[in-house]
Amino acid sequence: MKTLKALYIGLAATALAGALSSCQADMDAPALVEPKATMVPNTTILELKNTFADQTLQCPMKDESSKTPYIIHGRVISSDATGNIYKSIVIQDETAAIALSVNQGSTYTDYRLGQEVVLNVTGLYVGYYNGLQQIGWLGEYKGAKSLTFMSWSYFLEHSELNGFPNDDVKYVDQNSTWPSENPYCIVTSFSQLPSTGDGFRQMQSQLVEFRNVSFKEGGKDTYAPYQESVNRTLVDANGATLIVRTSGYSNFYNEMIPEGTGNVRGILSYYGEDWQLLLRGLGDVMITDKGQKNDPYTIAEATEVMDQGASGWVKGYIVGSVKAGVNDVESNNDVIFGKDAEMDNNILIAASADETDWSKCIAVELPQGSAFRASVNLVDNPGVLGKAIIVKGNLVTFLGMPGITGNGGTASDVEVDGVTIGGGGDLPGPGEGIPNGDGSEAKPYSASQINAMTTANGTNLYTGVWVTGYIVGYVDTGIKSYAADESAKFTVPAAVATNLLLANSPDEKDWNKCISVNLPSGSDARAQLNLKDNTGNLGKLLLIKGNVTRYVGLSGVKEPSDFRLGEGGGDTPNPPATGSTIYEGLTLNANDWDMNNAQAPTGIKVWQWDSKNTCLKGAAFANSKPNAADVTCISPVFSIPVSGAELDFQYVFNQYKKNNEMINVADFSGYAYILIREEGSSSWTDLAEMKAQGFAWTPWYDAKYSLNNYSGKSIQIGFRYVSTDEVAGTWEIKNLKVTGSK
């Protein structure tokens, strides 16, 4: 069969029109011919990939008796216009994406972004080229069967164009329902990329975008040497890395890689045992210093990029707050300009201190229980009205208006003129918090300050400065050479003596809030500080002098030249004081939680961390339908050393529909449970069955449960999500905290 192609009117036609304008006055312009495919798709891309998983073979008939072939369709998401993608056309449908290996260049002229392609796969080969599943022809790689290029004529015989290109790209989260009518770009993170199973096949060849990332080679190297393909390194906010494969034959090979942080998109390829990102061109690299602390967004700039995945620092002035009971601001009647605030969970900031127009403001979320809320909310701190502020967070809609959410709530995440976030003295004791400093011995940098000093390439930010924090753990470099969920340890004795983790709190268990300390071999610092030989140092306050740089994937201190070991710690850590925090999580990430998605339906991740809305999200609505699931998300183990312990968190339920109608709140039963079990136990006890108070994304409801029966025990909390093939909504949870008193 012949491929039907659209008639594209080019520059030559435009020039000719100018030359012959007098002659063409009475002539009709030729109509564009829209290609129409005659083949009808009967298989999704994911179905095809799963059917022929781990095989390389010539695709058979789907039904031999009726001679029905496998027919797929998808929209083009790749482009070889810049020369960085070579002899490949990548298409995606509503389920997955796949690369078509074709022996032809400059295919972008007919196969443009958003062009729908219908492909008869029967007779072509489906298989792998060094780990990447694709469609092509049979070849050989290192003595084994492998995919190679199909001939261009054979591809044309098996394919048809359908309609004009639709280049309106939709941006969706990895766990969202993906559109069928538009090309789409999946907003994801390094940690979300699967390594096995249906999810692995589903993500191969997808158009993806990673946000808040930087190039290790930024400002130092070009994308590639001339006529040489090389790996460049993308680094995320946690220090994790991803290969960016770039060709020296591309038309941008000699461009300098930009320095700074931002968003990078491309085709998610795979080679050997590694994910690789293929840039389609320089337009896929959106790196800038804008939003960094040295170049914060203005109010106008931040408003312009709302809900586009942007995050960073914003500067302004505190002018008011949103009224109590308002979920969606629509006018000045919904806000209070001035100090007479009704709510302590938000403030309004604007470009000038005397602003009184809500549409020129940004609402800032003040995290529950944070130093930020305690020091800046207008209910308790009316004196901050009119003060200059610079604050870091995600630029998303909050309370129905442009907002900033996801702030860490510490002194490293916000600065207000004349206000000390968190308070404390120059030499705080355990649990009192650590104030910001200037790097001197008298006023050392806090761990949270150092944590904010990200440097992906390891260059020293400061040399010979003093830093202080509590010793809370170490990185087991025998597991991984960098900090991660499995390598960051908060117990003693340590497996290695090479490093420490410091934090602003002696109870910190989130490695993302820690900094690293290098303990060089043969040094006094290693001999006296390491947790392998000095277990009693856990929880002690450390004052140390060294160079601020990158170490084991974190901002940290290397080459220590002096140190002081302070109070706290001991072989048996002291129990928490009255009302103190035993465990805190689900604020910035869920790195220490087990999503346990093995119980989920095939190809569906029920539990995931929603980085945009900074919450844990359970949802089994996928592929445009509800799916039956019973999946539990499990907390890390933590101890309850005191009586009177309580579990607190915030939650919302939404989209619990049956036959497209929201179910009644009274009928919400059997869909959500809180579970509890002692360490080592394989069975759970129901702590409570969750009841819905409403179905909306706001307001967030507060939940509180007693853990008094578990004092003196080590436990885990579980959130059990249950759905059916008729009802599968969304359950979101954030700001979980366990507190206790003696």
Side-chain angles (χ1 to χ4, degrees):
M1 62 191 71
K2 299 289 186 180
T3 300
L4 300 177
K5 299 183 179 179
L7 178 60
Y8 296 109
I9 306 301
L11 294 176
T14 303
L16 184 61
L20 302 178
S21 58
S22 61
C23 299
Q24 289 187 336
D26 300 322
M27 296 175 62
D28 292 330
L32 292 175
V33 179
E34 182 177 7
K36 297 288 186 181
T38 61
M39 296 186 293
V40 178
N42 58 21
T43 307
T44 68
I45 292 176
L46 185 59
E47 289 171 344
L48 183 80
K49 296 176 86 169
N50 286 340
T51 299
F52 300 108
D54 304 318
Q55 304 176 68
T56 295
L57 77 172
Q58 193 168 26
C59 183
M61 287 286 181
K62 186 169 186 175
D63 186 330
E64 187 63 40
S65 61
S66 62
K67 299 300 180 183
T68 301
Y70 280 93
I71 300 176
I72 64 172
H73 80 114
R75 294 193 178 274
V76 175
I77 54 174
S78 63
S79 174
D80 61 359
T82 68
N84 197 49
I85 294 178
Y86 180 66
K87 294 186 177 182
S88 180
I89 300 171
V90 184
I91 61 173
Q92 68 177 195
D93 67 5
E94 66 274 16
T95 67
I98 195 164
L100 313 178
S101 183
V102 294
N103 195 16
Q104 180 74 10
S106 299
T107 59
Y108 71 93
T109 57
D110 287 330
Y111 295 85
R112 303 185 180 189
L113 179 65
Q115 174 65 61
E116 186 177 10
V117 178
V118 182
L119 183 72
N120 177 359
V121 187
T122 295
L124 302 176
Y125 278 81
V126 181
Y128 294 82
Y129 176 74
N130 201 17
L132 179 66
Q133 192 176 21
Q134 51 193 290
I135 298 172
W137 201 248
L138 186 63
E140 187 175 292
Y141 179 77
K142 294 185 177 180
K145 287 194 300 184
S146 174
L147 257 286
T148 188
F149 307 115
M150 71 180 94
S151 71
W152 182 241
S153 61
Y154 208 34
F155 170 69
L156 294 179
E157 289 178 8
H158 279 253
S159 65
E160 293 178 317
L161 301 180
N162 191 46
F164 293 127
N166 178 353
D167 60 0
D168 184 16
V169 177
K170 302 295 185 183
Y171 289 84
V172 297
D173 291 330
Q174 186 171 330
N175 61 336
S176 299
T177 299
W178 301 335
S180 57
E181 296 304 317
N182 301 78
Y184 55 90
C185 182
I186 299 172
V187 179
T188 185
S189 63
F190 299 169
S191 62
Q192 287 183 288
L193 300 181
S195 58
T196 58
D198 293 355
F200 172 69
R201 288 184 287 274
Q202 189 177 42
M203 285 302 293
Q204 278 199 357
S205 299
Q206 290 281 11
L207 177 62
V208 297
E209 182 172 300
F210 300 103
R211 294 175 173 174
N212 196 25
V213 294
S214 60
F215 277 96
K216 182 178 180 180
E217 300 84 4
K220 299 185 297 183
D221 288 322
T222 60
Y223 283 95
Y226 179 57
Q227 294 188 353
E228 180 182 347
S229 294
V230 297
N231 294 342
R232 297 306 189 205
T233 304
L234 207 59
V235 184
D236 71 8
N238 296 322
T241 59
L242 180 77
I243 294 170
V244 178
R245 186 70 173 173
T246 311
S247 171
Y249 291 90
S250 68
N251 65 8
F252 59 87
Y253 76 91
N254 61 342
E255 295 286 342
M256 182 65 67
I257 298 174
E259 187 175 9
T261 302
N263 303 341
V264 177
R265 72 170 75 98
I267 302 298
L268 186 64
S269 188
Y270 196 82
Y271 188 82
E273 297 181 350
D274 297 307
W275 288 109
Q276 294 187 347
L277 191 67
L278 303 179
L279 303 175
R280 298 169 301 172
L282 290 182
D284 282 340
V285 179
M286 297 153 286
I287 297 264
T288 176
D289 280 335
K290 178 55 66 179
Q292 299 299 298
K293 194 172 184 180
N294 64 333
D295 187 15
Y297 290 106
T298 64
I299 297 296
E301 290 169 337
T303 301
E304 187 176 344
V305 296
M306 282 289 157
D307 296 316
Q308 297 180 22
S311 62
W313 291 86
V314 181
K315 64 180 180 180
Y317 294 88
I318 300 171
V319 295
S321 58
V322 177
K323 286 182 178 179
V326 174
N327 295 323
D328 292 289
V329 176
E330 297 179 348
S331 71
N332 270 13
N333 293 329
D334 297 325
V335 303
I336 300 171
F337 288 105
K339 61 184 179 180
D340 297 324
E342 297 174 350
M343 297 294 292
D344 67 352
N345 65 351
N346 74 87
I347 56 172
L348 296 180
I349 64 174
S352 64
D354 57 358
E355 184 60 66
T356 56
D357 182 348
W358 75 274
S359 66
K360 297 179 181 178
C361 299
I362 290 177
V364 181
E365 181 184 35
L366 306 180
Q368 184 179 21
S370 68
F372 184 12
R373 180 183 288 195
S375 303
V376 180
N377 83 83
L378 285 165
V379 174
D380 303 314
N381 309 277
V384 302
L385 184 70
K387 289 186 176 292
I389 182 173
I390 178 170
V391 57
K392 181 173 69 172
N394 302 317
L395 307 184
V396 296
T397 299
F398 174 56
L399 296 175
M401 62 183 293
I404 299 174
T405 67
N407 182 279
T410 69
S412 63
D413 304 302
V414 61
E415 293 180 7
V416 179
D417 187 27
V419 177
T420 300
I421 306 297
D426 290 341
L427 297 174
E432 293 180 12
I434 298 175
N436 285 347
D438 56 16
S440 65
E441 185 174 3
K443 293 185 177 181
Y445 288 125
S446 68
S448 60
Q449 277 183 286
I450 299 301
N451 201 357
M453 300 175 184
T454 55
T455 168
N457 58 22
T459 302
N460 288 342
L461 288 176
Y462 299 102
T463 58
V465 297
W466 287 90
V467 178
T468 189
Y470 292 99
I471 300 173
V472 296
Y474 68 100
V475 175
D476 188 346
T477 52
I479 296 176
K480 281 192 173 181
S481 60
Y482 55 88
D485 292 348
E486 54 267 52
S487 60
K489 304 295 183 181
F490 299 94
T491 57
V492 290
V496 298
T498 57
N499 70 86
L500 298 172
L501 291 176
L502 299 189
N504 264 37
S505 166
D507 302 316
E508 187 59 68
K509 297 294 188 293
D510 183 350
W511 61 268
N512 291 288
K513 297 179 182 178
C514 298
I515 65 171
S516 58
V517 175
N518 169 236
L519 304 177
S521 176
S523 67
D524 290 340
R526 175 176 290 192
Q528 298 180 42
L529 299 179
N530 84 82
L531 292 174
K532 184 177 183 180
D533 305 311
N534 308 280
T535 57
N537 286 348
L538 187 67
K540 286 189 175 181
L541 187 66
L542 175 65
L543 178 66
I544 190 164
K545 184 180 183 181
N547 300 332
V548 175
T549 186
R550 197 81 175 171
Y551 177 57
V552 293
L554 298 171
S555 293
V557 179
K558 292 184 71 174
E559 302 173 17
S561 57
D562 200 358
F563 62 88
R564 312 271 190 277
L565 194 58
E567 55 187 283
D571 292 327
T572 303
N574 295 324
T578 300
S580 64
T581 300
I582 296 170
Y583 172 78
E584 186 174 12
L586 306 184
T587 55
L588 295 178
N589 57 56
N591 290 342
D592 51 354
W593 285 65
D594 180 4
M595 303 297 181
N596 206 10
N597 278 302
Q599 303 172 30
T602 301
I604 298 175
K605 288 185 176 181
V606 172
W607 284 111
Q608 295 196 66
W609 178 254
D610 184 343
S611 57
K612 179 179 179 180
N613 296 306
T614 58
C615 65
L616 178 68
K617 180 164 72 174
F621 190 93
N623 301 322
S624 302
K625 65 182 183 67
N627 298 272
D630 189 342
V631 187
T632 301
C633 185
I634 305 171
S635 78
V637 175
F638 54 88
S639 297
I640 309 291
V642 294
S643 62
E646 288 185 330
L647 168 68
D648 296 271
F649 58 89
Q650 293 178 289
Y651 70 96
V652 292
F653 293 108
N654 205 359
Q655 300 302 310
Y656 278 82
K657 296 180 179 180
K658 187 175 182 179
N659 299 325
N660 290 324
E661 294 290 335
M662 201 78 75
I663 66 174
N664 294 323
V665 170
D667 296 332
F668 188 84
S669 180
Y671 293 108
Y673 300 85
I674 307 169
L675 310 178
I676 191 168
R677 70 182 178 188
E678 294 184 35
E679 182 180 15
S681 175
S682 59
S683 60
W684 293 95
T685 299
D686 286 352
L687 184 63
E689 179 181 353
M690 295 290 294
K691 300 297 183 182
Q693 299 185 48
F695 296 117
W697 299 124
T698 57
W700 285 82
Y701 296 102
D702 295 318
K704 185 185 296 286
Y705 299 94
S706 172
L707 301 178
N708 200 39
N709 292 337
Y710 294 88
S711 59
K713 299 177 180 179
S714 295
I715 65 167
Q716 288 178 291
I717 298 295
F719 291 110
R720 180 185 171 199
Y721 175 99
V722 181
S723 61
T724 70
D725 288 330
E726 292 183 321
V727 180
T730 299
W731 182 13
E732 294 185 342
I733 305 160
K734 67 179 182 179
N735 297 334
L736 183 141
K737 182 181 292 187
V738 178
T739 57
S741 57
K742 293 183 178 179

